[in-house]
Amino acid sequence: MSSAPTARPVRGTHDLVGEELRRHRAVAETGRAIALRWGYQEIATPIFEHTEVFARSLGDVSDIVTKEMYTFTDRGGESITLRPENTAGVCRAVISLGLHQQLPQKFFYYGPMFRYERPQKGRLRQFHQIGIECIGAPEPLADAEAIAAGAHILEELGVLEATTLELNTLGDLDSRARYREALVAYLRGREAKLSADSRLRLERNPLRILDSKDEGDRAIVAEAPLLLDFLNETSRAFYARVKEALDRLAIAYVENPRLVRGLDYYTHTAFEFTTTRLGAQGAVLAGGRYDGLVATLGGPDVPGVGWAAGVERLSLLLAEAPPPPRPLAIVPIGEAAEAEAWVLARDLRRLGHAVELAFEGRPGKRMKRADRLGARLALFLGEDELARGVVKLRALDSGREEEVARTALAERLASLVGVENPAASARA
Ligand code: ATP
Ligand code: MG
């Protein structure tokens, strides 16, 4: 590469601008708006935490902790990590702020996450997630609600059809423990054929092996005993109630008994909305119940359930980018009009309109720019209009023109531009 390092973004990072940024915003804002409707309040935690927060919560044999974290020592000698995900941060905040005094707490978040991975389409080193966490609700309805809110967001974005909801249960700790024994016994017999990573996991976190992307591991896992066969009555009942609640809302799912969230504190529900449209980056929204997490971080024994979705992956699935707002273009003719146009632009912006007013230029040049920006209306202001206290409006799609008194302008624009500038109609 010939360009100077300062002119290149860091590998796996990405500048967002124009259409791509509008897609991104649509995902984040739709997520926020729908989550609010379901009662999830927004929370914003710092993008870095003490390394310990992630090391403890994600487990020290997870891929994220062993290979993907951006960890550094700050000038005060503390080990700091850029957040690879936000669940740990939200739980840490709940403890720090004492929010567990009043449960349940329901949160939505949006923001950048950082993982040192091999960049590909839909896989970045700085990427973004939206997510929700419901902390302090032990009921299966909380799992179903989290899934339903996620499905609603995907539906609103028009991508639900492109995904499949895969569902599984990991059971409670008792079921997990019995399964773990059977799984380890099975894997021990095949230890030599496991990948090096998985041999390590066999000691510390055998369930994670079910999640391995290694081909050899996958073949072994395909024949492994199923957790489903080790569920006790409580776990079966819990799972049945989650499915019942989803059925009631007609949310379609496919049961996948091999779907796992490999971390020790995960219990009961695990789910993923997957797509076949993004190659190997198939998971767009993934989550589950994490009843042990808050306690793992040193807080009280408080249950939780939630999910995170990749904003870049969802953006890639969006059929079309939302269009940019179509501004009103003011075209002054003559020096006196130019000065007045400056004030008029400010007034219209205050009313909620997007207004384009070039710093200089002949009317022809200004009109070209207005066209390029997709302006909806041109507002001509010449000596004559100025003297008579009117503005000439031209609808740029139809070419239709009309003259409007300055005193009636706000009202006329509100009716012409309608819902495009909702703030304006709200004020009118
Ligand atoms: P994958 O199996 O694709 O690596 P993951 O299991 O690491 O995903 P989670 O930790 O569950 O993913 O994160 C939730 C969501 O965040 C994923 O489903 C995906 O949409 C998104 N995501 C995860 N890592 C990245 C990344 N490096 N770049 C872009 N999006 C990502
Ligand atoms: Mg990953």
Side-chain angles (χ1 to χ4, degrees):
M1 219 172 281
S2 58
S3 57
T6 48
R8 270 190 264 130
V10 173
R11 185 164 140 83
T13 68
H14 195 64
D15 300 305
L16 288 167
V17 67
E19 179 183 321
E20 205 180 351
L21 183 61
R22 290 200 303 280
R23 283 173 185 270
H24 191 105
R25 283 275 168 268
V27 172
E29 277 161 24
T30 302
R32 178 183 294 121
I34 301 294
L36 267 173
R37 287 196 217 166
W38 286 79
Y40 294 79
Q41 302 299 317
E42 187 161 13
I43 186 171
T45 66
I47 62 162
F48 51 71
E49 298 275 351
H50 292 118
T51 299
E52 204 43 30
V53 170
F54 304 113
R56 270 211 219 174
S57 67
L58 298 169
D60 47 14
V61 287
S62 67
D63 278 355
I64 292 184
V65 172
T66 54
K67 298 177 196 158
E68 298 176 359
M69 293 204 309
Y70 279 91
T71 297
F72 60 97
T73 307
D74 73 7
R75 289 167 192 276
E78 299 221 55
S79 181
I80 300 293
T81 294
L82 300 184
R83 64 184 187 192
E85 55 92 52
N86 207 190
T87 304
V90 169
C91 290
R92 196 272 309 137
V94 164
I95 302 167
S96 312
L97 298 169
L99 300 178
H100 51 271
Q101 307 294 341
Q102 231 180 36
L103 295 173
Q105 295 275 351
K106 293 169 43 173
F107 293 113
F108 165 85
Y109 63 80
Y110 156 73
M113 309 293 158
F114 307 84
R115 297 184 193 179
Y116 192 81
E117 301 203 66
R118 198 166 66 77
Q120 336 169 26
K121 180 177 163 193
R123 190 176 297 284
L124 292 152
R125 290 183 175 175
Q126 174 173 329
F127 62 103
H128 298 73
Q129 287 182 336
I130 54 171
I132 64 175
E133 314 291 354
C134 174
I135 294 170
E139 300 87 355
L141 265 186
D143 307 50
E145 182 186 86
I147 294 171
H152 189 173
I153 292 169
L154 298 180
E155 186 181 17
E156 193 77 9
L157 289 169
V159 306
L160 186 61
E161 302 280 272
T163 66
T164 303
L165 168 58
E166 298 183 37
L167 188 65
N168 192 22
T169 180
L170 305 176
D172 61 9
L173 289 179
D174 165 61
S175 309
R176 290 273 299 268
R178 290 194 298 132
Y179 174 63
R180 191 185 154 117
E181 241 171 75
L183 180 66
V184 171
Y186 167 84
L187 292 173
R188 282 250 182 271
R190 291 147 188 88
E191 198 170 343
K193 289 193 204 145
L194 285 174
S195 67
D197 276 349
S198 286
R199 278 199 298 274
L200 261 179
R201 294 178 184 129
L202 191 52
E203 295 300 330
R204 324 228 327 242
N205 195 342
L207 261 71
R208 189 84 214 185
I209 298 174
L210 301 177
D211 210 12
S212 172
K213 287 180 178 119
D214 178 272
E215 283 302 320
D217 290 351
R218 276 178 180 276
I220 295 171
V221 161
E223 307 288 314
L226 285 179
L227 207 155
L228 210 58
D229 299 322
F230 293 79
L231 294 180
N232 58 22
E233 212 27 64
T234 320
S235 302
R236 282 179 195 283
F238 190 100
Y239 190 37
R241 286 186 59 202
V242 173
K243 289 189 284 183
E244 234 171 68
L246 292 176
D247 292 341
R248 219 171 294 135
L249 298 185
I251 293 174
Y253 51 82
V254 175
E255 290 183 70
N256 174 0
R258 302 199 181 272
L259 177 71
V260 291
R261 313 281 298 164
L263 309 177
D264 279 343
Y265 54 76
Y266 276 108
T267 50
H268 296 296
T269 318
F271 58 92
E272 255 178 34
F273 286 85
T274 57
T275 181
T276 53
R277 294 197 195 160
L278 296 177
Q281 279 60 252
V284 292
L285 185 156
R289 177 166 279 278
Y290 48 83
D291 285 352
L293 178 54
V294 177
T296 301
L297 287 171
D301 189 11
V302 165
V305 56
W307 53 255
V311 175
E312 283 79 4
R313 291 187 195 177
L314 287 172
S315 299
L316 287 167
L317 288 181
L318 282 194
E320 48 192 65
R326 299 185 63 186
L328 311 176
I330 301 184
V331 182
I333 305 156
E335 232 167 80
E338 272 187 37
E340 182 58 22
W342 180 245
V343 177
L344 177 61
R346 190 272 316 265
D347 291 346
L348 294 179
R349 287 168 178 148
R350 277 186 168 165
L351 284 171
H353 295 287
V355 177
E356 163 59 21
L357 174 60
F359 295 118
E360 50 89 44
R362 293 172 190 285
K365 187 176 160 201
R366 289 172 185 270
M367 282 307 293
K368 262 197 198 136
R369 184 172 162 80
D371 276 336
R372 187 154 42 80
L373 293 172
R376 180 121 130 170
L377 292 170
L379 283 65
F380 295 98
L381 197 59
E383 307 277 302
D384 174 53
E385 282 85 10
L386 212 54
R388 293 191 294 122
V390 299
V391 171
K392 192 168 79 180
L393 298 188
R394 182 189 298 163
L396 294 178
D397 293 337
S398 65
R400 246 194 45 203
E401 296 193 345
E402 64 183 286
E403 199 171 87
V404 180
R406 287 281 293 275
T407 48
L409 188 58
E411 205 175 323
R412 183 64 187 137
L413 287 177
S415 80
L416 280 176
V417 179
V419 290
E420 196 158 17
N421 288 317
S425 1
R427 285 217 220 170

